[in-house]
Amino acid sequence: MNRTSILLLSGLLFASVLPSQSPNRIARPIPYPLPTTKAWEKAIQNGTRTTKGIPGPNYWTNYTQYKIDAELEPGTAKVRGHVEISYENRSPKPLRRIVLHLRQNLHKEGSVRNRFVEITGGVETSNIQVNGKKPGKRMVQVRGTVMTIRLAESLKPQSKVRISMDWNYRVPNLGAPRNGQDDHHVFWIAYWYPQVAVYDDVNGWVAEQYMSNAEFYMDYADYEVNFKAPQGFIVRCTGELQNPKEVLTKTEIKRLAKARKSHETVHILTEAELKAHKATRKSKKGLTWRYKAKRVRDVAISVSDQYIWDATHAVVKDQKGKGRDGLAMIHALYRPRAKAFQRAAEYGQHTIEYMSQKVYPYQWPHMTACEGIIGGGMEFPMMTICGGRGSSVLGVVTHEIIHMWFPMLVGSNEKAYAWQDEGLTSFFTNLTTSHFRTRNRSKDLQSKLRNRRRRRGHGRFFSMEEFAPIMRHGDRFPGRGTYSIMSYMKTSAVLGQLRSMIGDEAFFRAFREYVAAWAFKHPLPMDFFATFNRVTGKNLDWYFREWFFENWKLDQAILSVKPGNQETVVQVGDLQYASMPMEVQVQYKDGKKETKTIDIEYWLSGRKEKTLHFGTDVVQVLIDPQNLTLDINRKNNLWKAQ
Ligand SMILES: [Zn+2]
């Protein structure tokens, strides 16, 4: 048993046994330090990580270059491709094997999954070569969605290995997770090519099975993608289009140039033009769309002959350095019947501009939002697919685009720590959509609307009896409901509570420093937590322990109010295990208010009650007057004189 599990186990025992057995001695559990692992401690010794939330001086990531030539045959939904991979070992250790993902094997008979999926047969690979040679027998092994290639000779530090292969698969029908095709007209090509797994400084190869629920962990790479489709099918891809003149019409090219200058939405392809077969240049043999992308963790492709196309651009503040703004093109592609998408380009523009100012400048040349295929939305570098209708399009498009920061820019491990991208993204989605809705209103109204939204409460995750804290692997939650509520809603609410405790200035500075330090890198939860400790100059480990590692609840309460001739004695209590500083506000008969705050240290010392003294003529006592904490029972927060 390693140290982590001992810590976790003793934490459980402590929480469940001690308070009931010796209620007088210790009234509540005192949060343990955050758990650590041997691998983490070793990384600190090696100087790749620090305890400060910034990468160590010896931090490295491995790097890959992909050259992909592929083709889609819409009639059969077959994708066939050839990939040439150049993988550079920047770690200090020689590598004896290279591990790749073949994620379409999720759809292969016999793969391990946590939901029902269509069986397509998965991926067929052939002509595998390593450094130009066919690998020996038993050197290549495929298990489920993971392919391992043992190298004849170890890959030394600072050297590269070349791997190439042909592959093909059938794009699954509607209903598949995060990719698929709709009636052979709308295709979302994703998790579609052999991708090298992450080899990182803490855990080495991290190549878990793709079982459909938990998401991904990907390394940064450069891509050259040449993708062939029949004429009439518009192909949008992660990266920059290299040959617009060979694939787009003159009108489209002219309008794209206009969108580059216009902050309004420009129609690149209208419904009438789509019907008149003017979506692409003409070529009976098909068209090859050439894209190049730099420093991205994946590539996804949209292919359709039913989309119309809008575009505009976003001004990216400080993209090229302080005071030097850049520009990102914004594209929206959708079927004419999806009316809610008519504003998608505007939503995309707003999100890129808002997040660039608030957190970190957007790093890539475009952002493309496509419509259809899936129920909710899904994010890919520079690309999103959303099936949303009506008013949900604003929320979903915004959410998926905020993923360009988490995890596209800050490359956390989504599989093991879903909250680290979904929770952060959900938090900023609330902020960004509420800014969009209220940006033209007065500051006063803005803050009123914000508070009303806060007051709606977060009852759902508190009513869940299943024991599952936020800090849990994405494939190991008791159910999809718990997974979503913990990773999205609870994390977002817990971040909101943290913001109210440490204040906007420190909170957003911590976020900006976290993103700046970990852009194009792989932070672990410890790096995130340590950033907040460093920026605030406080040890907030208790907060992260209580709210991320435990499933504890908070219930601040007024126990009694005793009005007297000399003073009013107010007894307050903290009834559950989780703790927060407590703000107690009394209101006197003459309308004056007085507030006393009980510091967190008081509760962390194990106490559950405190007596406060106020003046006479108190007419009301209220705990947490601004509604900032995640208190599960607000009824006991208020006392009024009879
Ligand atoms: Zn998301």
Side-chain angles (χ1 to χ4, degrees):
M1 202 183 281
N2 63 31
R3 209 177 136 187
T4 313
S5 36
I6 292 172
L7 271 177
L8 287 172
L9 189 62
S10 54
L12 285 176
L13 286 174
F14 192 72
S16 56
V17 179
L18 269 182
S20 58
Q21 284 185 347
S22 47
N24 296 326
R25 211 159 53 81
I26 295 173
R28 67 189 306 156
I30 295 165
Y32 271 97
L34 300 185
T36 174
T37 63
K38 274 199 179 122
W40 170 260
E41 281 162 12
K42 212 166 168 199
I44 290 180
Q45 279 167 22
N46 291 340
T48 61
R49 304 271 162 160
T50 67
T51 54
K52 300 276 175 232
I54 46 174
N58 301 329
Y59 185 82
W60 51 266
T61 54
N62 285 351
Y63 212 80
T64 319
Q65 281 170 302
Y66 296 88
K67 186 174 179 297
I68 298 174
D69 291 282
E71 180 175 7
L72 168 71
E73 195 181 271
T76 57
K78 271 270 183 189
V79 170
R80 291 185 184 82
H82 173 79
V83 62
E84 285 176 19
I85 298 170
S86 169
Y87 183 70
E88 186 182 354
N89 180 13
R90 296 177 178 173
S91 86
K93 276 193 189 158
L95 301 179
R96 304 186 60 182
R97 61 200 165 107
I98 303 295
V99 186
L100 298 105
H101 292 287
L102 299 176
R103 294 196 180 89
Q104 287 297 328
N105 274 353
L106 172 70
H107 296 272
K108 191 174 179 163
E109 215 165 284
S111 287
V112 183
R113 295 179 274 266
N114 43 32
R115 69 181 259 191
F116 294 107
V117 299
E118 178 194 348
I119 297 298
T120 64
V123 189
E124 241 176 57
T125 57
S126 57
N127 295 328
I128 300 177
Q129 296 209 329
V130 178
N131 288 331
K133 285 188 209 128
K134 199 176 158 198
K137 252 190 186 170
R138 278 179 295 211
M139 297 295 264
V140 180
Q141 185 192 54
V142 178
R143 276 194 174 160
T145 63
V146 176
M147 172 188 255
T148 305
I149 301 179
R150 278 167 54 209
L151 300 175
E153 239 175 85
S154 292
L155 178 63
K156 293 192 187 75
Q158 312 308 322
S159 52
K160 291 180 185 174
V161 61
R162 284 180 296 118
I163 296 171
S164 64
M165 69 182 87
D166 298 328
W167 88 99
N168 71 78
Y169 75 98
R170 177 169 69 73
V171 181
N173 293 312
L174 282 186
R178 307 183 181 102
N179 76 129
Q181 62 103 356
D182 190 350
D183 204 22
H184 303 273
H185 288 288
V186 179
F187 290 82
W188 189 260
I189 315 279
Y191 317 115
W192 61 289
Y193 60 93
Q195 183 186 36
V196 183
V198 178
Y199 181 87
D200 74 23
D201 63 306
V202 178
N203 295 307
W205 285 112
V206 184
E208 295 178 87
Q209 293 291 319
Y210 175 41
M211 305 206 295
S212 100
N213 188 54
E215 298 194 308
F216 310 96
Y217 186 33
M218 295 167 166
D219 240 336
Y220 291 93
D222 295 341
Y223 289 82
E224 191 182 327
V225 179
N226 303 316
F227 198 88
K228 193 174 167 194
Q231 62 177 1
F233 282 79
I234 292 176
V235 175
R236 292 286 313 160
C237 176
T238 303
E240 214 152 8
L241 180 62
Q242 304 294 308
N243 61 336
K245 285 183 185 157
E246 291 171 19
V247 291
L248 297 176
T249 66
K250 278 185 184 145
T251 314
E252 286 169 331
I253 291 173
K254 218 186 279 169
R255 289 174 185 167
L256 281 168
K258 192 180 161 199
R260 185 164 274 277
K261 294 209 172 87
S262 165
H263 211 242
E264 305 295 312
T265 299
V266 175
H267 301 298
I268 307 300
L269 178 70
T270 65
E271 189 175 356
E273 289 159 348
L274 176 71
K275 281 187 179 146
H277 306 288
K278 288 178 177 165
T280 65
R281 284 188 74 98
K282 303 245 178 293
S283 167
K284 289 232 163 66
K285 289 181 288 178
L287 295 166
T288 299
W289 302 64
R290 301 180 192 283
Y291 281 91
K292 276 186 183 172
K294 277 203 171 311
R295 276 186 126 186
V296 287
R297 34 172 270 163
D298 195 13
V299 160
I301 301 181
S302 149
V303 186
S304 179
D305 64 349
Q306 291 188 337
Y307 280 156
I308 53 173
W309 183 358
D310 293 344
T312 182
H313 73 264
V315 177
V316 181
K317 206 165 179 322
D318 297 336
Q319 193 192 42
K320 301 168 189 161
K322 197 105 192 97
R324 293 166 62 218
D325 295 350
L327 178 153
M329 289 294 290
I330 308 289
H331 304 277
L333 292 97
Y334 53 99
R335 284 165 287 191
R337 63 161 197 251
K339 299 265 185 266
F341 254 74
Q342 287 170 353
R343 292 186 73 189
E346 189 189 342
Y347 304 152
Q349 176 188 57
H350 173 259
T351 304
I352 295 287
E353 292 186 348
Y354 181 77
M355 286 294 290
S356 292
Q357 284 197 33
K358 193 90 191 163
V359 179
Y360 196 81
Y362 183 67
Q363 291 294 300
W364 295 290
H366 75 83
M367 182 69 234
T368 297
C370 299
E371 171 270 332
I373 303 292
I374 53 178
M378 188 60 205
E379 69 278 8
F380 306 83
M382 303 179 224
M383 304 282 289
T384 74
I385 178 85
C386 311
R389 302 234 179 281
S391 64
S392 75
V393 170
L394 168 64
V396 178
V397 167
T398 302
H399 178 100
E400 306 314 333
I401 295 181
I402 291 172
H403 274 305
M404 297 311 117
W405 282 263
F406 318 103
M408 299 311 161
L409 178 61
V410 178
S412 60
N413 181 343
E414 304 166 77
K415 240 185 181 32
Y417 314 107
W419 66 269
Q420 213 175 343
D421 72 298
E422 293 301 352
L424 274 55
T425 295
S426 298
F427 175 82
F428 280 102
T429 303
N430 293 341
L431 220 62
T432 309
T433 52
S434 101
H435 180 264
F436 182 84
R437 290 197 179 102
T438 61
R439 62 197 160 146
N440 298 323
R441 317 251 189 108
S442 72
K443 281 251 150 33
D444 242 27
L445 188 66
Q446 281 179 21
S447 81
K448 248 183 226 156
L449 287 170
R450 250 202 312 277
N451 280 335
R452 196 184 305 159
R453 216 156 284 134
R454 253 183 213 156
R455 227 159 280 158
R456 272 184 207 149
H458 302 277
R460 270 176 75 195
F461 56 76
F462 288 123
S463 64
M464 301 204 74
E465 292 301 321
E466 294 155 324
F467 181 82
I470 290 172
M471 194 64 77
R472 180 164 289 193
H473 189 289
D475 278 322
R476 287 160 213 160
F477 278 92
R480 263 188 83 82
T482 325
Y483 162 81
S484 312
I485 286 169
M486 292 300 147
S487 310
Y488 293 68
M489 292 167 60
K490 184 174 174 183
T491 304
S492 170
V494 164
L495 289 171
Q497 183 179 248
L498 177 64
R499 173 190 177 187
S500 70
M501 184 171 66
I502 66 176
D504 276 15
E505 197 281 323
F507 181 82
F508 289 109
R509 187 151 52 86
F511 256 104
R512 281 191 291 272
E513 292 192 14
Y514 169 68
V515 174
W518 292 98
F520 305 108
K521 299 186 175 79
H522 302 303
L524 284 161
M526 294 300 276
D527 299 305
F528 180 79
F529 300 145
T531 303
F532 281 82
N533 288 346
R534 186 188 78 243
V535 168
T536 57
K538 290 178 183 149
N539 185 347
L540 297 169
D541 283 1
W542 64 270
Y543 187 82
F544 301 121
R545 164 57 87 175
E546 289 187 355
W547 294 95
F548 286 81
F549 288 87
E550 308 291 347
N551 211 17
W552 294 353
K553 298 170 177 73
L554 174 77
D555 186 11
Q556 303 181 329
I558 298 166
L559 300 178
S560 67
V561 178
K562 292 200 182 90
N565 294 334
Q566 307 291 320
E567 59 170 7
T568 305
V569 180
V570 176
Q571 207 186 14
V572 293
D574 207 13
L575 306 183
Q576 292 272 342
Y577 286 168
S579 43
M580 279 291 286
M582 189 190 287
E583 211 179 316
V584 185
Q585 184 192 69
V586 300
Q587 194 180 325
Y588 294 103
K589 214 182 210 167
D590 60 6
K592 285 207 180 98
K593 285 175 182 169
E594 184 185 355
T595 302
K596 286 189 176 169
T597 302
I598 305 169
D599 292 341
I600 191 63
E601 286 73 20
Y602 182 85
W603 306 116
L604 291 180
S605 68
R607 281 170 285 196
K608 281 181 86 86
E609 291 174 14
K610 187 166 171 75
T611 307
L612 301 171
H613 302 269
F614 291 94
T616 53
D617 290 333
V618 167
V619 293
Q620 179 185 294
V621 183
L622 180 60
I623 292 178
D624 186 23
Q626 295 182 76
N627 252 322
L628 298 174
T629 67
L630 298 172
D631 193 322
I632 50 162
N633 178 10
R634 293 209 165 263
K635 285 187 191 136
N636 57 19
N637 286 21
L638 178 68
W639 175 91
K640 277 181 183 224
Q642 295 296 320

